Amino acid sequence: MMRTRPLKVALLGCGVVGSEVARIMTAHADDLTARIGAPAELAGIAVRRPDRVRAGIPRELITTDATALVKRGDIDVVVEVIGGIEPARTLITTAFQHGASVVSANKALLAEDGVTLHAAAEQHGADLYFEAAVAGAIPLVRPLRESLVGDKVNRVLGIVNGTTNFILDRMDTGGTGYSEALDEAMALGYAEADPTADVEGFDAAAKAAILAGIAFHTRVRLDDVHREGITEVTAGDMASARRMGRTVKLLAICERAEDGRSVTARVHPAMIPLDHPLASVREAYNAVFVEAEAAGRLMFYGPGAGGAPTASAVLGDLVAVCRNKLNGARGPGESAYSRLAVSPMGEVVTRYHVNLDVADKPGVLAQVAAVFNEHGVSIETVHQQVRDGGEASLVVVTHRASDAALTSTVDALRRLDTVRGVAGIMRVEGE
Amino acid sequence: MMRTRPLKVALLGCGVVGSEVARIMTAHADDLTARIGAPAELAGIAVRRPDRVRAGIPRELITTDATALVKRGDIDVVVEVIGGIEPARTLITTAFQHGASVVSANKALLAEDGVTLHAAAEQHGADLYFEAAVAGAIPLVRPLRESLVGDKVNRVLGIVNGTTNFILDRMDTGGTGYSEALDEAMALGYAEADPTADVEGFDAAAKAAILAGIAFHTRVRLDDVHREGITEVTAGDMASARRMGRTVKLLAICERAEDGRSVTARVHPAMIPLDHPLASVREAYNAVFVEAEAAGRLMFYGPGAGGAPTASAVLGDLVAVCRNKLNGARGPGESAYSRLAVSPMGEVVTRYHVNLDVADKPGVLAQVAAVFNEHGVSIETVHQQVRDGGEASLVVVTHRASDAALTSTVDALRRLDTVRGVAGIMRVEGE
């Protein structure tokens, strides 16, 4: 039996994503009604600048008073696509207090203070869904929270930021430097006027914190995520990677330690082999590997950002939350019972590509090798290239070693007379 | 508050998948309890041959009377991993009548008679979950039923049968013929003693019917799916594909017609470009593309079969169904409100690779081209190769045309004196 009272939806934010959510809710109203079991009706749209509202958005729904909208009391679901910490956090908690469930695309807020939001949802018996906060249209939050809930996830590794992938892809295929590639990304709308959140890895780190939390059923705070951006990746690094049959990608990596008692989460540029599936993820696309004990190795690929793809994820959540409302049910809440420790970066074990400028003298390689050996870092390959002026470059790729051991090795290398400088250090993943 | 009464789970079947489900339920009992909110306890395991039961399975749970087990009345969830139509269908419907929800991995039954099962679940207010029925561990049913439920899916295209992918991969990389590759697949346990269900495309067709139904919110019966297996793919086809920069894969393709009013579903070998992501899906892996209006192009990749991966999907569903039981809620049921027509194969539009043996005479190419033209099939490329004995081979790749038009073209070509034979016809996809 079709319920006649429509579910009322309040939309907070009407930018690139919000306007697309509003458009699809109108254009596909009949399908959404059939799939939910009742109509979902836009009851109000809160914006900061009402004069900027896009074509096709009913003017009478527009308000600048978001607080009053979420306090109305007749709102079933609040869709938050404003982004940022405040006023989003206060609006979401107010929405829960007034009986609404929430669909949010806000990765920064969920990474910063997911605990508060989840607790508020729990307290008021409401849903908090956030598929759109990680990897745009790619179903990743739901597969981790629901499909793999009977399995043990050991690793999540992927490209979760489209802007930086676009820039690195351009550097790789065009041989350009970082600044030039960034300019191109800005010109094409792939990077914002202030690209800091993307290029410094803040956006990817927020997603890593969210993914690690749901994958390992624990809490991982944004501060727990080791973060390095791509601003120091050079055309030289990219060329060096190419010569070794690799390319450079900004990766988010969440791992369970081998003893199972702790986890790590990190975002940094890394070299991966050209035949690794992530190497062929081009432009602004995202792709994420999930490794689980029983399932094995899964990959999810798709558009990681953009108005329509993000709106697709928001609408999937909206339908689910509306169904729950109709059934008087709740979807999965926060699952953080594991309470695992988050280990510092020094304990992360991986491989390294170390590029040294050295004197072109007999015995230098032996000296360098001895330093690696003294610090317990085993060398896999060394490539030596003599340059003009009595100098040479030495590219060392190591076996697996802890970040702490590698750091001490590099400190000791810097103290060698024969080492003129450390031209670059990059982690090597996916082999 | 943790509910003390455990949820009781009956397992039907204890082969490769079932024994792995039982193992994980025991080994990870604490995690499953935390994730469900109550313990899930194995209450009975029905098998045909109790002497065959594997190590680690508690003997006291074993019964040969599956009917009595599902009729016990205290069973919360029945996990059906027997496969086949009967007795699985009767056991599942009996389970619903006795108050249980059901998790099934049975693609054949769901494709053959999903309507009956969904109706029985609906009637008794129970859940029917079946993630494991399609593409093993890869989350695909849930993303289509839930993540993309607010979007409009236009196409599902992928490799959904591991056995045939293993065989075709071996033919491609080893240059071997079909029989030799099949023997290897059998020796390595990738193909069953009777490989018919896999190599004739029945297994993939069942998955295509299920995927088309959930993707397009309509009913697609197994009989609606056009089906061709891989038994007629030759080493020559594979070599011909290679020469054109392509490889051969068995694809399941579900498409919405451009007018939106009908859909098609088909399984057949097809040539795809070597740089297409599906071309690099090796061995027994599966991968599926989903194209949706707002989300764009998504890909899901992973192990499509095997005990542990399939058990991972079963357990994800088991947790979801147990949570629903605890909350007195139901997950999404069948969504077939669209009631779209399923068009016959003749209306499918795609491209074709046609390999002709022709007389090596002037004017043959013109004659052949005229036949294509008369039937409205536009030619994209022609490769002519002269062989010994006054014969030549002609490989024609067409632009997009309907299957019906291509069939008439080939019939007319066979009637030409200068055409000695049609050595092979294969569809070309993914370009």
Side-chain angles (χ1 to χ4, degrees), chain B residues 109-360:
Chain B
L109 176 55
L110 279 153
E112 171 89 13
D113 203 9
V115 173
T116 300
L117 302 185
H118 285 297
E122 181 76 33
Q123 189 192 335
H124 297 282
D127 274 332
L128 171 62
Y129 276 53
F130 50 96
E131 182 66 75
V134 184
I138 309 172
L140 198 55
V141 171
R142 183 174 276 103
L144 281 170
R145 290 220 293 182
E146 304 184 42
S147 306
L148 289 162
V149 71
D151 206 334
K152 185 179 180 186
V153 176
N154 289 319
R155 197 157 190 246
V156 178
L157 178 153
I159 295 166
V160 296
N161 180 273
T163 304
T164 47
N165 199 59
F166 182 90
I167 294 170
L168 293 172
D169 185 25
R170 280 294 181 274
M171 289 174 68
D172 190 23
T173 55
T176 58
Y178 168 75
S179 308
E180 200 178 331
L182 173 61
D183 288 345
E184 199 185 341
M186 283 179 171
L188 293 168
Y190 286 114
E192 293 179 46
D194 176 0
T196 312
D198 292 315
V199 300
E200 296 290 1
F202 289 101
D203 175 84
K207 292 165 179 169
I210 296 170
L211 288 173
I214 56 180
F216 305 133
H217 297 266
T218 193
R219 281 189 187 143
V220 176
R221 293 172 311 125
L222 187 51
D223 290 349
D224 293 330
V225 182
H226 174 85
R227 179 189 52 77
E228 296 170 38
I230 64 162
T231 55
E232 287 169 30
V233 177
T234 64
D237 290 331
M238 203 55 97
S240 187
R242 272 277 154 186
R243 277 194 297 275
M244 312 285 284
R246 301 191 177 98
T247 187
V248 177
K249 294 289 186 186
L250 183 71
L251 299 184
I253 306 175
C254 312
E255 287 175 313
R256 193 190 287 277
E258 276 172 33
D259 67 5
R261 292 198 198 133
S262 64
V263 298
T264 54
R266 52 192 164 115
V267 167
H268 55 69
M271 291 189 188
I272 58 170
L274 287 172
D275 63 0
H276 191 282
L278 290 180
S280 56
V281 175
R282 309 292 303 280
E283 306 201 319
Y285 276 81
N286 283 192
V288 177
F289 274 93
V290 176
E291 292 172 26
E293 197 176 89
R297 206 167 176 230
L298 306 170
M299 187 175 84
F300 303 81
Y301 167 92
T310 308
S312 171
V314 166
L315 283 157
D317 280 354
L318 179 63
V319 171
V321 168
C322 285
R323 280 175 176 171
N324 290 345
K325 275 266 169 189
L326 282 183
N327 298 329
R330 277 188 71 208
E334 188 189 21
S335 175
Y337 69 90
S338 292
R339 306 199 181 284
L340 299 168
V342 185
S343 301
M345 191 60 191
E347 292 180 25
V348 166
V349 172
T350 187
R351 298 169 62 226
Y352 305 87
H353 175 112
V354 182
N355 196 342
L356 303 170
D357 291 329
V358 296
D360 179 23

Side-chain angles (χ1 to χ4, degrees), chain A residues 168-394:
Chain A
L168 292 172
D169 185 26
R170 279 295 181 276
M171 288 175 68
D172 190 23
T173 54
T176 59
Y178 167 75
S179 307
E180 200 178 330
L182 173 61
D183 288 346
E184 198 186 342
M186 282 180 171
L188 292 167
Y190 287 113
E192 294 179 47
D194 176 0
T196 312
D198 293 315
V199 300
E200 296 290 0
F202 290 101
D203 175 84
K207 291 164 178 169
I210 296 170
L211 288 174
I214 56 180
F216 306 133
H217 296 266
T218 193
R219 281 188 187 144
V220 177
R221 293 172 309 126
L222 187 52
D223 290 349
D224 293 329
V225 182
H226 174 85
R227 178 188 52 77
E228 296 170 37
I230 64 162
T231 55
E232 287 169 30
V233 178
T234 64
D237 291 332
M238 203 56 97
S240 187
R242 272 276 154 186
R243 279 194 296 274
M244 311 285 283
R246 301 192 177 99
T247 187
V248 177
K249 294 289 188 187
L250 182 71
L251 299 183
I253 305 176
C254 312
E255 287 174 314
R256 193 189 287 275
E258 277 172 31
D259 67 6
R261 294 200 196 131
S262 64
V263 298
T264 54
R266 51 192 164 117
V267 167
H268 55 70
M271 291 190 188
I272 57 169
L274 287 173
D275 62 0
H276 190 283
L278 290 181
S280 56
V281 175
R282 309 292 305 277
E283 305 201 318
Y285 277 81
N286 283 191
V288 177
F289 275 93
V290 176
E291 292 172 26
E293 197 175 270
R297 207 166 175 230
L298 307 169
M299 186 176 84
F300 303 80
Y301 167 93
T310 308
S312 171
V314 166
L315 283 157
D317 280 354
L318 179 62
V319 170
V321 168
C322 285
R323 279 176 175 169
N324 290 345
K325 275 267 169 188
L326 282 182
N327 298 330
R330 276 188 72 208
E334 188 190 22
S335 175
Y337 70 92
S338 293
R339 305 198 183 283
L340 300 168
V342 184
S343 302
M345 191 61 192
E347 292 179 25
V348 166
V349 173
T350 187
R351 297 168 61 227
Y352 306 86
H353 174 111
V354 182
N355 196 341
L356 303 171
D357 292 328
V358 298
D360 179 23
K361 284 188 196 169
V364 171
L365 177 54
Q367 257 191 327
V368 166
V371 170
F372 275 91
N373 185 48
E374 279 156 28
H375 293 84
V377 179
S378 167
I379 290 176
E380 188 194 86
T381 60
V382 180
H383 286 254
Q384 189 161 12
Q385 200 171 9
V386 176
R387 292 198 303 249
D388 293 339
E391 295 230 330
S393 99
L394 212 57

